[in-house]
């Protein structure tokens, strides 16, 4: 996945699309941000400078699907999460999860959320209408996270096999956030396929990954033409520009 932060307007459509696609329930009272369920989270960052030098950028943050020493997988005592070497997707197996939240502590990207409640989809409000039968229901007491809409991959593969194909074409499998983004800031494809758009985008000098220094090899890349944004993403190259003095996140 490649997210162009220069295009992102911070509208939050990706968060809504993700929740609807993956049967993430919304509580009547969502005022406690620590207990809110959102697999895709949007951060607002600024360069901390006073007007008129103030600049703002928005950071959509799904699970990075870490490729190397996947921190959450390494610590899970219940083998409830694993990285598939075939698809590169880090899964979450809710029926195995014992809710210890060790993975949440290990994830450097805060990409995991603990589900404090059973699903809440009141029929009287018509909220059962958008429920997807392809997504496992979750009970309270388990950890959840973005799976790059794994069910969409399965659906695309099934269709391809039915048509006698072994390979997926570009664009046949994309995540819900990619599809919904009105600014087309998110591009999705196969990073290992040099013909796919994502493989070309990551060669941009503006491309970076979050906390690269940790060596987790995230499969989510960001693009930003703003130096201070790339610095925030931990891709700071000393001597190239003035470091920012104050950063606000919220
Ligand atoms: Fe695991 Fe967090 Fe990496 Fe996702 S971003 S694979 S939850 S460590």
């Amino acid at each position: 996945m490649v997210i162009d932060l220069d295009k992102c307007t911070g509208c939050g459509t990706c968060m809504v699309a993700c929740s609807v696609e993956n049967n993430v329930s919304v509580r009547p009272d969502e005022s406690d941000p620590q207990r809110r369920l959102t697999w895709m989270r949007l951060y607002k960052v600024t360069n901390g400078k006073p007007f008129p030098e103030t600049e703002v950028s928005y950071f959509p943050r799904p699970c990075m699907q870490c490729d190397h020493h996947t921190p959450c997988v390494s610590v899970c005592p219940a083998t409830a999460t694993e990285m598939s070497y075939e698809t590169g997707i880090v899964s979450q197996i809710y029926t195995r999860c014992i809710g210890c939240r060790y993975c949440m502590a290990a994830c450097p990207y805060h990409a995991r959320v603990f589900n404090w409640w059973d699903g809440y989809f009141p029929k009287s409000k018509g909220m059962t209408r958008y429920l997807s039968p392809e997504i496992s229901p979750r009970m309270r007491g388990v950890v959840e996270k973005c799976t790059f809409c794994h069910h969409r991959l399965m659906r695309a593969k099934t269709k391809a096999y039915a048509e006698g194909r072994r390979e997926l074409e570009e664009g046949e499998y994309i995540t819900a956030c990619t599809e919904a983004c009105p600014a087309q800031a998110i591009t999705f494809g196969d990073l290992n396929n040099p013909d796919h758009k994502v493989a070309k985008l990551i060669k941009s000098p503006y491309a970076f990954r979050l906390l690269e220094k940790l060596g987790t090899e995230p499969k989510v890349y960001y693009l930003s033409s703003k130096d201070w944004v790339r610095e925030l993403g931990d891709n700071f190259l000393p001597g190239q520009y003035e470091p920012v003095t104050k950063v606000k996140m919220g």
Side-chain angles (χ1 to χ4, degrees), residues 61-73 81 83 88-92 103-104 106-112 143-146 216 218-219:
R61 195 256 28 234
C63 167
M64 301 287 133
Q65 316 295 341
C66 305
D67 205 60
H68 187 62
H69 291 319
T70 313
C72 55
V73 174
T81 182
M83 213 265 292
I89 294 175
V90 178
S91 62
Q92 179 69 11
C103 56
M104 287 174 67
C107 173
Y109 304 101
H110 294 237
R112 292 174 161 266
V143 173
E144 305 187 0
K145 75 166 199 75
C146 151
T216 52
K219 294 188 195 80

